[in-house]
Amino acid sequence: AQSVAQPEDQVNVAEGNPLTVKCTYSVSGNPYLFWYVQYPNRGLQFLLKYITGDNLVKGSYGFEAEFNKSQTSFHLKKPSALVSDSALYFCAVFYNQGGKLIFGQGTELSVKP
Amino acid sequence: ETGVTQTPRHLVMGMTNKKSLKCEQHLGHNAMYWYKQSAKKPLELMFVYNFKEQTENNSVPSRFSPECPNSSHLFLHLHTLQPEDSALYLCASSQDTGGGAGETQYFGPGTRLLVL
């Protein structure tokens, strides 16, 4: 069965430091992986996705994610965190049957000045 | 977020009321989705429509009734809801339902529903 796990409910980072939000997946076949961000009282905004090709995917707002097939991971990264990056981050895997996106439970990122 | 709009943004209803949530996408997409987001839970897919045809009903109770009159509009009709149905209801759209290409879904801002 397809699944996504975000092992950390919350990540705390100081502004200017690098950040990592972790995601692991379980999928049969080739994985299509996504990251979304949700700001308070807002819908989900698409950040980036991995379909095929280069394992390092660059997305919006300076975020990037690294696909690691051997570790079945797709961690979200940013070299220098901003206070405005504080939000809820969701990893998702695309389930080929019926166009389903299966989401992780979300990770609350808090960036302090 | 102007690509996918949802109304109302907030809704309070009693258990005997009937109300409808509306979603409209301005992206020229063919697939639309309803999700439920409850606190401390992953997003739950409720319904999927592709080219106006329902392709997925994820075991949703019949008190939730979707309607998709065209590829740009999606409704969720609500009746005799329960307090546990209180949640953020998110609409999304994509070019189609994927066909293996991992189509990106774009989300609206959601309707915050409170059932009393």
Side-chain angles (χ1 to χ4, degrees):
Chain A
Q2 325 282 0
S3 66
V4 173
Q6 294 180 242
E8 302 157 316
D9 287 340
Q10 182 152 13
V11 171
N12 298 308
V13 177
E15 188 175 30
N17 283 1
L19 70 86
T20 298
V21 183
K22 296 180 180 177
C23 172
T24 59
Y25 65 90
S26 174
V27 61
S28 55
N30 294 322
Y32 301 129
L33 297 156
F34 296 76
W35 275 103
Y36 285 84
V37 59
Q38 186 177 32
Y39 297 100
N41 301 313
R42 305 285 287 276
L44 276 67
Q45 293 181 33
F46 169 71
L47 277 179
L48 51 81
K49 69 180 179 182
Y50 171 82
I51 302 298
T52 187
D54 195 345
N55 289 345
L56 186 65
V57 180
K58 294 188 183 297
S60 306
Y61 311 120
F63 284 93
E64 58 189 28
E66 187 168 11
F67 171 65
N68 188 316
K69 189 172 183 177
S70 63
Q71 297 185 6
T72 62
S73 67
F74 189 55
H75 301 331
L76 182 70
K77 300 181 180 184
K78 187 173 182 180
S80 178
L82 300 173
V83 173
S84 57
D85 292 329
S86 298
L88 188 56
Y89 289 81
F90 291 96
C91 182
V93 64
F94 182 78
Y95 184 39
N96 209 4
Q97 294 184 14
K100 292 183 188 180
L101 267 182
I102 298 173
F103 286 85
Q105 71 272 29
T107 298
E108 186 84 41
L109 174 66
S110 178
V111 182
K112 300 293 186 187
Chain B
E1 291 183 358
T2 54
V4 181
T5 58
Q6 289 187 243
T7 54
R9 293 294 307 274
H10 302 272
L11 179 62
V12 180
M13 59 186 290
M15 289 190 284
T16 58
N17 291 158
K18 289 184 180 181
K19 296 287 184 183
S20 295
L21 310 185
K22 179 183 176 181
C23 175
E24 184 173 0
Q25 59 93 2
H26 311 271
L27 300 170
H29 290 163
N30 298 305
M32 297 188 77
Y33 310 77
W34 280 117
Y35 288 87
K36 177 182 179 183
Q37 186 180 22
S38 305
K40 308 295 183 187
K41 286 186 178 180
L43 270 75
E44 301 172 51
L45 179 66
M46 300 175 73
F47 301 104
V48 181
Y49 279 82
N50 198 29
F51 291 93
K52 302 189 297 179
E53 297 296 320
Q54 187 179 120
T55 58
E56 183 80 23
N57 177 337
N58 201 23
S59 302
V60 180
S62 59
R63 57 186 184 269
F64 294 92
S65 174
E67 178 189 1
C68 188
N70 55 60
S71 292
S72 298
H73 294 87
L74 185 64
F75 296 89
L76 188 62
H77 304 300
L78 316 171
H79 63 98
T80 59
L81 293 192
Q82 305 298 312
E84 60 265 29
D85 297 322
S86 299
L88 182 68
Y89 288 84
L90 292 164
C91 174
S93 73
S94 65
Q95 186 60 47
D96 60 40
T97 52
E103 294 287 350
T104 300
Q105 293 181 20
Y106 294 90
F107 285 78
T111 294
R112 176 74 62 186
L113 174 66
L114 177 62
V115 182
L116 301 176

